[in-house]
Amino acid sequence: MTTRHGIAVGCALGLVTSGIVVALMWFKVSGVLRVGHTDLMYVLWPSSVMLIVGWRNTLPGIAITLFSVILNCFTYIAVVLLLRAGTSLIAGPKAVRE
């Protein structure tokens, strides 16, 4: 996997995760993301904490949501690139590229 593919995969994962969580919040069923005492919304989308704090008006709320989605994409990109670097250290650089 090249770096460009890693960035694309991380961005796609971040967008899909954010989209699913926002859809569940829209339909007021985000409680299905609870497992025991853990809310998976904060595990899968850590910057979603910003949504609860900042929605008072429409325009700032939309801007906060977009910024939170962008932060989530960057988080997933960082995770994918770190996993790629870790696997290249373990398996060798040629094994990751093939």
Side-chain angles (χ1 to χ4, degrees):
M1 177 187 313
T2 65
T3 304
R4 187 175 291 189
H5 288 117
I7 290 171
V9 167
C11 190
L13 285 173
L15 285 174
V16 167
T17 304
S18 301
I20 290 171
V21 171
V22 167
L24 290 172
M25 289 172 69
W26 180 268
F27 293 113
K28 296 180 179 35
V29 291
S30 62
V32 299
L33 294 173
R34 288 193 180 270
V35 176
H37 295 291
T38 305
D39 192 354
L40 293 179
M41 180 174 81
Y42 302 119
V43 174
L44 298 173
W45 188 10
S47 60
S48 67
V49 175
M50 296 169 38
L51 301 178
I52 298 169
V53 176
W55 264 96
R56 288 185 181 81
N57 296 325
T58 302
L59 194 58
I62 291 172
I64 288 170
T65 303
L66 288 175
F67 185 67
S68 179
V69 169
I70 291 168
L71 280 178
N72 193 46
C73 289
F74 283 140
T75 302
Y76 274 88
I77 289 170
V79 167
V80 168
L81 292 179
L82 286 173
L83 286 174
R84 179 182 177 271
T87 55
S88 71
L89 284 175
I90 294 170
K94 289 186 178 180
V96 174
R97 289 187 197 134
E98 295 176 359

